[in-house]
Amino acid sequence: MKISVIGCGYLGAVHAASMAELGHDVVGIDVDQAKIASLSKAEAPFFEPGFEELLERTLATGRLRFSTDFADAAGSAVHFVCVGTPQKRGEYAADMRYVQGAVESLIDVLAPGELVVGKSTVPVGTAAQLAELIADKAPGALLAWNPEFLREGFAVQDTLHPDRLVYGLPAGADGDTARALLDEVYASIVERGTPKVESDYATAEMVKTAANSFLATKISFINAMAELCEATGADVKLLADAIGFDDRIGRKFLNAGLGFGGGCLPKDIRAFMARAGELGADQALTFLREVDNINMRRRIRMVELAREVCDGSLLGKRVAVLGAAFKPDSDDIRDSPALNVAAQLQLQGAVVRVTDPAAVENSRRQWPQLDYAATPEEAAERADAVLVLTEWKQYRELDPEAFGRIVKQKRVLDGRNALDREAWTAAGWTYRALGRRAG
Ligand SMILES: NC(=O)c1ccc[n+]([C@@H]2O[C@H](COP(=O)([O-])OP(=O)(O)OC[C@H]3O[C@@H](n4cnc5c(N)ncnc54)[C@H](O)[C@@H]3O)[C@@H](O)[C@H]2O)c1
Ligand SMILES: O=c1ccn([C@@H]2O[C@H](COP(=O)(O)OP(=O)(O)O[C@H]3O[C@H](CO)[C@@H](O)[C@H](O)[C@H]3O)[C@@H](O)[C@H]2O)c(=O)[nH]1
């Protein structure tokens, strides 16, 4: 089947290569020439485990190519829209100009019977409005909404083995046509019995924002418990283990620490609140404001904790920050809690050195005022405190004995509750973490 994928960022590039892996003939289109040049040479423009290998393999089959020219999307049976929907500057709402622009460009090449499939995360009501636009400007072409649930760091696996498929379909015979096309796209995934939910547009759009709101709420719930643990001397990690054994609750997404960041959860809960407001239903989502508040408070608490261990002042203190990406196995620094904390520490007079296995280049571009190091050892040289803010495997596996010989003061702040507290304290470190007693 001929497929086009519009927007080749973290979502679209992986989707395009994965569709080629499934046997389809795919063209990926983006307005960013540098990104298209890099993808065409089988060089991943971002770090995502397994992606570059998949890219290389699928480009070599001849079934995948990339272009900046929308004319190359002509003749595809299905056109996936994967462009960004970032938070608007100074507002909570999503910036919809890229989705609007992509669909308008597609309209010029759409033929009757072709299907536009939205994958971007959008405010509920977007699909209905785009369907009207398509019906008006490209009669005979159809629209479906098929939200994406992949996690960065697991993007390839999640795209090829999703835990569910959601199809937001138009009513009547058009819905049957759209369903048949989507079933053909995902044939091997459908055939192995992957759960499939078919709905109207609004439900499909809301499934996505509801899922991310739930995940954000779960993280903020455990971080609120961490605040209480700090006040009572209880241990949030044990608490999470204990409540997580109840399979109605589950242990996943109960890792207390610095909270959520990235290009999805923070902006998606905010856009959801903004949309609820536009719909006159803002009361329904006021709890998300608290979810957001709890999340942001963790960053402030982390800086306070750093000041506390540095004898009450950060002025002139050398602080090593291990981790810049918003999560491990990614170079994505969008709304990164780690970088946010690093910048606050610097503002309070600390001499901050940041390191990350994959995200230093992106960080340097966005936060040029921070100082960067290539390795944790370099970052921690003569440090007064070491902060582990992204739980990369290589940081979890650091040898506290050897690492202790590099620093000036053996003080470690575990921002992700990821280190072995006993091993670090046994090696003479003062260990501090969010929601846990000092070790
Ligand atoms: N990153 C994820 O893990 C993930 C997962 C699920 C859903 N989503 C959603 O997917 C969407 C894309 O997210 P992302 O992380 O890939 O963003 P991104 O910023 O990495 O990529 C967006 C791409 O779209 C391109 N683009 C913008 N306007 C365009 C146009 N008119 N025509 C063609 N290309 C255009 C940009 O150049 C960029 O390469 C968002 O709505 C996001 O919420 C992302
Ligand atoms: O117990 C936890 C789990 C996660 N996080 C943090 O939460 C953020 C988001 O993590 P995760 O959800 O794993 O990463 P994303 O790649 O942003 O994926 C989310 O956002 C995507 C884009 O919408 C969705 O497709 C995914 O299903 C959804 O998990 C990161 O900063 C994590 O450090 C915690 O603090 N505690």
Side-chain angles (χ1 to χ4, degrees):
M1 184 182 223
K2 279 189 76 178
I3 288 177
S4 83
V5 176
I6 315 301
C8 294
Y10 286 93
L11 162 62
V14 174
H15 193 70
S18 300
M19 292 303 101
E21 177 84 345
L22 295 181
H24 301 301
D25 195 356
V26 183
V27 59
I29 293 183
D30 202 292
V31 290
D32 183 334
Q33 288 193 350
K35 205 172 267 188
I36 290 301
S38 157
L39 286 163
S40 303
K41 284 187 286 184
E43 284 169 14
F46 49 83
F47 177 81
E48 180 61 47
F51 174 57
E52 202 159 78
E53 294 81 342
L54 175 72
L55 185 62
E56 213 168 294
R57 189 164 67 240
T58 46
L59 279 169
T61 64
R63 289 197 303 270
L64 176 64
R65 67 204 165 89
F66 292 94
S67 168
T68 52
D69 188 355
F70 269 82
D72 288 320
S76 289
V78 172
H79 307 267
F80 284 103
V81 175
C82 300
V83 298
T85 48
Q87 187 177 338
K88 269 190 194 165
R89 195 177 281 271
E91 280 182 52
Y92 266 18
D95 189 342
M96 294 303 292
R97 79 179 102 157
Y98 308 104
V99 170
Q100 195 70 28
V103 172
E104 277 166 15
S105 302
L106 262 181
I107 277 171
D108 297 336
V109 302
L110 276 182
E114 292 178 6
L115 179 68
V116 177
V117 180
K119 283 200 91 61
S120 301
T121 304
V122 293
V124 55
T126 302
Q129 176 237 316
L130 292 175
E132 259 181 49
L133 181 72
I134 290 169
D136 184 33
K137 305 272 191 208
L142 299 175
L143 177 83
W145 216 264
N146 170 223
E148 175 58 52
F149 303 97
L150 71 81
R151 299 157 298 167
E152 287 180 24
F154 302 90
V156 172
Q157 156 81 11
D158 287 352
T159 306
L160 292 171
H161 301 272
D163 48 19
R164 79 285 214 190
L165 292 167
V166 176
Y167 296 178
L169 300 170
D174 286 350
D176 296 335
T177 309
R179 176 191 306 108
L181 283 165
L182 282 170
D183 278 347
E184 200 180 327
V185 170
Y186 295 126
S188 55
I189 297 171
V190 173
E191 278 158 22
R192 66 170 174 262
T194 304
K196 192 168 76 167
V197 178
E198 294 179 5
S199 70
D200 51 80
Y201 291 145
T203 306
E205 292 167 316
M206 264 191 67
V207 167
K208 176 67 199 175
T209 38
N212 276 1
S213 298
F214 190 84
L215 294 171
T217 303
K218 205 169 174 191
I219 298 167
S220 277
F221 173 82
I222 200 64
N223 282 332
M225 295 305 110
E227 286 189 11
L228 272 174
C229 287
E230 283 154 26
T232 60
D235 186 304
V236 74
K237 215 171 167 182
L238 289 175
L239 180 111
D241 290 343
I243 64 174
F245 282 121
D246 182 335
D247 61 14
R248 293 171 303 173
I249 296 174
R251 180 62 177 81
K252 289 181 183 162
F253 268 66
L254 284 182
N255 294 321
L258 204 44
F260 58 82
C264 293
L265 300 191
K267 63 107 173 147
D268 287 348
I269 62 168
R270 292 172 191 159
F272 203 19
M273 285 186 267
R275 185 66 184 133
E278 285 167 10
L279 294 165
D282 41 348
Q283 269 202 330
L285 298 185
T286 47
F287 76 97
L288 284 180
R289 190 173 286 275
E290 204 43 51
V291 165
D292 206 353
N293 277 332
I294 294 166
N295 194 50
M296 299 313 276
R297 277 208 298 272
R298 294 287 75 188
R299 303 178 188 190
I300 296 166
R301 177 68 192 132
M302 195 70 218
V303 177
E304 278 172 12
L305 207 53
R307 194 178 333 107
E308 262 170 54
V309 299
C310 287
D311 308 320
S313 169
L314 286 163
L315 264 185
K317 298 288 164 55
R318 295 172 73 92
V319 178
V321 168
L322 275 47
F326 85 103
K327 67 186 285 192
D329 295 317
S330 175
D331 66 349
D332 195 344
I333 55 157
R334 288 177 286 185
D335 200 356
S336 164
L339 283 174
N340 191 308
V341 167
Q344 287 185 61
L345 292 167
Q346 193 185 48
L347 275 175
Q348 297 199 18
V351 180
V352 182
R353 294 202 89 186
V354 181
T355 187
D356 189 282
V360 165
E361 213 179 301
N362 283 344
S363 307
R364 207 191 296 272
R365 223 173 294 130
Q366 199 179 316
W367 296 85
Q369 69 274 38
L370 288 168
D371 192 20
Y372 296 94
T375 62
E377 288 75 16
E378 202 186 306
E381 214 183 312
R382 301 204 44 74
D384 292 289
V386 174
L387 274 63
V388 178
L389 302 186
T390 313
E391 68 278 32
W392 285 90
K393 186 166 181 280
Q394 42 273 66
Y395 302 158
R396 283 191 271 118
E397 290 176 351
L398 280 172
D399 173 5
E401 285 282 352
F403 210 61
R405 290 193 281 274
I406 298 165
V407 296
K408 186 164 146 203
Q409 300 276 358
K410 289 193 201 175
R411 299 162 173 156
V412 65
L413 273 67
D414 184 358
R416 293 290 177 184
N417 280 312
L419 304 179
D420 179 344
R421 178 169 62 180
E422 281 62 45
W424 284 77
T425 47
W429 288 76
T430 299
Y431 173 96
R432 298 294 301 269
L434 296 168
R436 304 184 80 194
R437 258 200 299 262

